[in-house]
mmCIF file of all heavy atoms in Angstrom:
data_model
loop_
_atom_site.group_PDB
_atom_site.id
_atom_site.type_symbol
_atom_site.label_atom_id
_atom_site.label_comp_id
_atom_site.label_asym_id
_atom_site.label_seq_id
_atom_site.Cartn_x
_atom_site.Cartn_y
_atom_site.Cartn_z
ATOM 1 N N SER B 1 133.969 94.250 152.644
ATOM 2 C CA SER B 1 132.987 95.334 152.606
ATOM 3 C C SER B 1 131.964 95.106 151.496
ATOM 4 O O SER B 1 132.151 94.267 150.615
ATOM 5 C CB SER B 1 133.704 96.653 152.339
ATOM 6 O OG SER B 1 134.321 96.600 151.060
ATOM 7 N N LEU B 2 130.923 95.919 151.536
ATOM 8 C CA LEU B 2 129.919 95.886 150.478
ATOM 9 C C LEU B 2 130.543 96.273 149.138
ATOM 10 O O LEU B 2 130.202 95.703 148.105
ATOM 11 C CB LEU B 2 128.755 96.827 150.834
ATOM 12 C CG LEU B 2 127.615 96.912 149.831
ATOM 13 C CD1 LEU B 2 127.005 95.538 149.551
ATOM 14 C CD2 LEU B 2 126.544 97.878 150.337
ATOM 15 N N HIS B 3 131.479 97.205 149.142
ATOM 16 C CA HIS B 3 132.161 97.600 147.907
ATOM 17 C C HIS B 3 132.807 96.386 147.232
ATOM 18 O O HIS B 3 132.637 96.167 146.031
ATOM 19 C CB HIS B 3 133.225 98.664 148.200
ATOM 20 C CG HIS B 3 134.113 98.932 147.028
ATOM 21 N ND1 HIS B 3 133.752 99.765 146.004
ATOM 22 C CD2 HIS B 3 135.342 98.446 146.714
ATOM 23 C CE1 HIS B 3 134.720 99.792 145.103
ATOM 24 N NE2 HIS B 3 135.697 99.007 145.512
ATOM 25 N N CYS B 4 133.536 95.599 148.003
ATOM 26 C CA CYS B 4 134.207 94.429 147.422
ATOM 27 C C CYS B 4 133.203 93.325 147.067
ATOM 28 O O CYS B 4 133.420 92.578 146.118
ATOM 29 C CB CYS B 4 135.299 93.921 148.355
ATOM 30 S SG CYS B 4 136.753 95.019 148.351
ATOM 31 N N ALA B 5 132.088 93.244 147.789
ATOM 32 C CA ALA B 5 131.036 92.285 147.428
ATOM 33 C C ALA B 5 130.466 92.634 146.056
ATOM 34 O O ALA B 5 130.268 91.753 145.210
ATOM 35 C CB ALA B 5 129.931 92.277 148.486
ATOM 36 N N VAL B 6 130.228 93.927 145.811
ATOM 37 C CA VAL B 6 129.723 94.373 144.512
ATOM 38 C C VAL B 6 130.752 94.091 143.423
ATOM 39 O O VAL B 6 130.407 93.633 142.334
ATOM 40 C CB VAL B 6 129.337 95.869 144.568
ATOM 41 C CG1 VAL B 6 129.110 96.445 143.176
ATOM 42 C CG2 VAL B 6 128.090 96.050 145.426
ATOM 43 N N THR B 7 132.021 94.317 143.718
ATOM 44 C CA THR B 7 133.091 94.001 142.770
ATOM 45 C C THR B 7 133.035 92.525 142.398
ATOM 46 O O THR B 7 133.111 92.162 141.219
ATOM 47 C CB THR B 7 134.470 94.343 143.372
ATOM 48 O OG1 THR B 7 134.518 95.733 143.647
ATOM 49 C CG2 THR B 7 135.603 93.959 142.430
ATOM 50 N N GLY B 8 132.875 91.668 143.398
ATOM 51 C CA GLY B 8 132.796 90.234 143.158
ATOM 52 C C GLY B 8 131.575 89.831 142.364
ATOM 53 O O GLY B 8 131.646 88.975 141.469
ATOM 54 N N MET B 9 130.434 90.434 142.675
ATOM 55 C CA MET B 9 129.204 90.105 141.949
ATOM 56 C C MET B 9 129.325 90.504 140.481
ATOM 57 O O MET B 9 128.825 89.804 139.604
ATOM 58 C CB MET B 9 127.993 90.755 142.612
ATOM 59 C CG MET B 9 127.642 90.098 143.936
ATOM 60 S SD MET B 9 126.115 90.708 144.680
ATOM 61 C CE MET B 9 126.664 92.233 145.432
ATOM 62 N N GLU B 10 129.999 91.623 140.211
ATOM 63 C CA GLU B 10 130.229 92.035 138.825
ATOM 64 C C GLU B 10 131.135 91.033 138.115
ATOM 65 O O GLU B 10 130.932 90.715 136.955
ATOM 66 C CB GLU B 10 130.850 93.441 138.774
ATOM 67 C CG GLU B 10 129.875 94.548 139.097
ATOM 68 C CD GLU B 10 128.728 94.628 138.102
ATOM 69 O OE1 GLU B 10 128.973 94.569 136.877
ATOM 70 O OE2 GLU B 10 127.574 94.746 138.562
ATOM 71 N N GLU B 11 132.131 90.548 138.827
ATOM 72 C CA GLU B 11 133.073 89.586 138.263
ATOM 73 C C GLU B 11 132.407 88.226 137.994
ATOM 74 O O GLU B 11 132.784 87.520 137.077
ATOM 75 C CB GLU B 11 134.240 89.405 139.234
ATOM 76 C CG GLU B 11 135.441 88.753 138.633
ATOM 77 C CD GLU B 11 136.618 88.788 139.589
ATOM 78 O OE1 GLU B 11 137.264 89.848 139.679
ATOM 79 O OE2 GLU B 11 136.863 87.766 140.250
ATOM 80 N N HIS B 12 131.405 87.876 138.795
ATOM 81 C CA HIS B 12 130.699 86.596 138.672
ATOM 82 C C HIS B 12 129.331 86.772 138.012
ATOM 83 O O HIS B 12 128.373 86.094 138.369
ATOM 84 C CB HIS B 12 130.489 85.969 140.057
ATOM 85 C CG HIS B 12 131.722 85.423 140.666
ATOM 86 N ND1 HIS B 12 132.581 86.198 141.424
ATOM 87 C CD2 HIS B 12 132.257 84.183 140.631
ATOM 88 C CE1 HIS B 12 133.580 85.450 141.845
ATOM 89 N NE2 HIS B 12 133.417 84.227 141.370
ATOM 90 N N LYS B 13 129.229 87.652 137.044
ATOM 91 C CA LYS B 13 127.932 87.967 136.429
ATOM 92 C C LYS B 13 127.194 86.739 135.912
ATOM 93 O O LYS B 13 125.977 86.727 135.899
ATOM 94 C CB LYS B 13 128.094 88.986 135.319
ATOM 95 C CG LYS B 13 127.942 90.374 135.826
ATOM 96 C CD LYS B 13 127.675 91.330 134.711
ATOM 97 C CE LYS B 13 127.309 92.643 135.370
ATOM 98 N NZ LYS B 13 127.045 93.716 134.545
ATOM 99 N N GLY B 14 127.877 85.701 135.489
ATOM 100 C CA GLY B 14 127.225 84.512 134.966
ATOM 101 C C GLY B 14 126.631 83.628 136.055
ATOM 102 O O GLY B 14 125.851 82.724 135.764
ATOM 103 N N SER B 15 126.963 83.892 137.310
ATOM 104 C CA SER B 15 126.470 83.084 138.428
ATOM 105 C C SER B 15 125.464 83.885 139.236
ATOM 106 O O SER B 15 125.658 85.075 139.478
ATOM 107 C CB SER B 15 127.628 82.700 139.357
ATOM 108 O OG SER B 15 128.616 82.000 138.660
ATOM 109 N N ALA B 16 124.422 83.218 139.651
ATOM 110 C CA ALA B 16 123.423 83.877 140.503
ATOM 111 C C ALA B 16 123.915 83.867 141.950
ATOM 112 O O ALA B 16 124.550 82.910 142.401
ATOM 113 C CB ALA B 16 122.085 83.160 140.402
ATOM 114 N N VAL B 17 123.613 84.935 142.672
ATOM 115 C CA VAL B 17 123.948 85.008 144.092
ATOM 116 C C VAL B 17 122.913 84.195 144.851
ATOM 117 O O VAL B 17 121.713 84.437 144.738
ATOM 118 C CB VAL B 17 123.965 86.473 144.594
ATOM 119 C CG1 VAL B 17 124.162 86.526 146.092
ATOM 120 C CG2 VAL B 17 125.049 87.259 143.881
ATOM 121 N N LYS B 18 123.399 83.224 145.594
ATOM 122 C CA LYS B 18 122.528 82.355 146.393
ATOM 123 C C LYS B 18 122.227 83.003 147.745
ATOM 124 O O LYS B 18 121.098 82.971 148.209
ATOM 125 C CB LYS B 18 123.213 81.000 146.591
ATOM 126 C CG LYS B 18 122.387 79.973 147.294
ATOM 127 C CD LYS B 18 123.150 78.655 147.344
ATOM 128 C CE LYS B 18 122.487 77.661 148.252
ATOM 129 N NZ LYS B 18 123.267 76.430 148.345
ATOM 130 N N SER B 19 123.238 83.587 148.367
ATOM 131 C CA SER B 19 123.027 84.292 149.633
ATOM 132 C C SER B 19 124.123 85.322 149.860
ATOM 133 O O SER B 19 125.222 85.201 149.342
ATOM 134 C CB SER B 19 122.991 83.307 150.805
ATOM 135 O OG SER B 19 124.274 82.768 151.044
ATOM 136 N N LEU B 20 123.756 86.341 150.636
ATOM 137 C CA LEU B 20 124.686 87.402 151.027
ATOM 138 C C LEU B 20 124.595 87.563 152.536
ATOM 139 O O LEU B 20 123.532 87.864 153.062
ATOM 140 C CB LEU B 20 124.278 88.731 150.388
ATOM 141 C CG LEU B 20 124.689 88.974 148.967
ATOM 142 C CD1 LEU B 20 123.855 90.088 148.363
ATOM 143 C CD2 LEU B 20 126.147 89.348 148.902
ATOM 144 N N LEU B 21 125.692 87.329 153.204
ATOM 145 C CA LEU B 21 125.744 87.552 154.643
ATOM 146 C C LEU B 21 126.612 88.772 154.903
ATOM 147 O O LEU B 21 127.618 88.978 154.232
ATOM 148 C CB LEU B 21 126.338 86.338 155.359
ATOM 149 C CG LEU B 21 125.546 85.039 155.272
ATOM 150 C CD1 LEU B 21 126.306 83.908 155.975
ATOM 151 C CD2 LEU B 21 124.160 85.202 155.871
ATOM 152 N N VAL B 22 126.220 89.559 155.878
ATOM 153 C CA VAL B 22 126.967 90.763 156.247
ATOM 154 C C VAL B 22 127.094 90.791 157.760
ATOM 155 O O VAL B 22 126.226 90.285 158.478
ATOM 156 C CB VAL B 22 126.263 92.041 155.726
ATOM 157 C CG1 VAL B 22 124.881 92.219 156.334
ATOM 158 C CG2 VAL B 22 127.118 93.280 155.946
ATOM 159 N N ALA B 23 128.156 91.392 158.236
ATOM 160 C CA ALA B 23 128.355 91.510 159.679
ATOM 161 C C ALA B 23 127.460 92.610 160.240
ATOM 162 O O ALA B 23 127.356 93.687 159.659
ATOM 163 C CB ALA B 23 129.812 91.826 159.996
ATOM 164 N N ASP B 24 126.817 92.317 161.352
ATOM 165 C CA ASP B 24 126.125 93.350 162.103
ATOM 166 C C ASP B 24 127.194 94.316 162.605
ATOM 167 O O ASP B 24 128.201 93.883 163.184
ATOM 168 C CB ASP B 24 125.373 92.705 163.275
ATOM 169 C CG ASP B 24 124.836 93.727 164.237
ATOM 170 O OD1 ASP B 24 123.771 94.294 163.967
ATOM 171 O OD2 ASP B 24 125.493 93.962 165.280
ATOM 172 N N ARG B 25 127.015 95.604 162.387
ATOM 173 C CA ARG B 25 128.028 96.622 162.726
ATOM 174 C C ARG B 25 128.392 96.597 164.204
ATOM 175 O O ARG B 25 129.532 96.825 164.574
ATOM 176 C CB ARG B 25 127.489 98.017 162.338
ATOM 177 C CG ARG B 25 128.384 99.191 162.736
ATOM 178 C CD ARG B 25 129.587 99.252 161.832
ATOM 179 N NE ARG B 25 130.415 100.415 162.013
ATOM 180 C CZ ARG B 25 131.350 100.549 162.964
ATOM 181 N NH1 ARG B 25 131.534 99.626 163.849
ATOM 182 N NH2 ARG B 25 132.100 101.640 163.007
ATOM 183 N N THR B 26 127.431 96.268 165.044
ATOM 184 C CA THR B 26 127.652 96.302 166.486
ATOM 185 C C THR B 26 128.254 95.012 167.031
ATOM 186 O O THR B 26 129.283 95.031 167.699
ATOM 187 C CB THR B 26 126.329 96.603 167.214
ATOM 188 O OG1 THR B 26 125.758 97.790 166.663
ATOM 189 C CG2 THR B 26 126.545 96.791 168.693
ATOM 190 N N SER B 27 127.623 93.884 166.722
ATOM 191 C CA SER B 27 128.033 92.601 167.319
ATOM 192 C C SER B 27 129.015 91.814 166.465
ATOM 193 O O SER B 27 129.623 90.862 166.946
ATOM 194 C CB SER B 27 126.806 91.732 167.568
ATOM 195 O OG SER B 27 126.248 91.302 166.334
ATOM 196 N N ARG B 28 129.129 92.169 165.191
ATOM 197 C CA ARG B 28 129.968 91.461 164.216
ATOM 198 C C ARG B 28 129.449 90.066 163.848
ATOM 199 O O ARG B 28 130.130 89.309 163.184
ATOM 200 C CB ARG B 28 131.422 91.378 164.671
ATOM 201 C CG ARG B 28 132.075 92.732 164.806
ATOM 202 C CD ARG B 28 133.517 92.625 165.186
ATOM 203 N NE ARG B 28 134.109 93.958 165.289
ATOM 204 C CZ ARG B 28 135.351 94.237 164.984
ATOM 205 N NH1 ARG B 28 136.166 93.299 164.581
ATOM 206 N NH2 ARG B 28 135.803 95.459 165.096
ATOM 207 N N THR B 29 128.258 89.712 164.291
ATOM 208 C CA THR B 29 127.674 88.432 163.894
ATOM 209 C C THR B 29 127.150 88.551 162.465
ATOM 210 O O THR B 29 126.740 89.630 162.028
ATOM 211 C CB THR B 29 126.533 87.995 164.831
ATOM 212 O OG1 THR B 29 125.520 89.004 164.833
ATOM 213 C CG2 THR B 29 127.028 87.755 166.232
ATOM 214 N N MET B 30 127.171 87.449 161.744
ATOM 215 C CA MET B 30 126.736 87.454 160.358
ATOM 216 C C MET B 30 125.215 87.361 160.278
ATOM 217 O O MET B 30 124.605 86.545 160.964
ATOM 218 C CB MET B 30 127.381 86.302 159.593
ATOM 219 C CG MET B 30 128.915 86.360 159.568
ATOM 220 S SD MET B 30 129.578 87.894 158.889
ATOM 221 C CE MET B 30 129.372 87.613 157.150
ATOM 222 N N ILE B 31 124.633 88.219 159.433
ATOM 223 C CA ILE B 31 123.189 88.272 159.238
ATOM 224 C C ILE B 31 122.899 88.340 157.739
ATOM 225 O O ILE B 31 123.774 88.670 156.942
ATOM 226 C CB ILE B 31 122.562 89.479 159.968
ATOM 227 C CG1 ILE B 31 123.198 90.804 159.501
ATOM 228 C CG2 ILE B 31 122.702 89.327 161.480
ATOM 229 C CD1 ILE B 31 122.582 92.064 160.104
#
């Protein structure tokens, strides 16, 4: 979930996020 993604980003504060993919709610494909 987005909640756990935010948890991870806080934990990796020294690293820049290169990309964030999320599932489309309807099709479940990554976008």
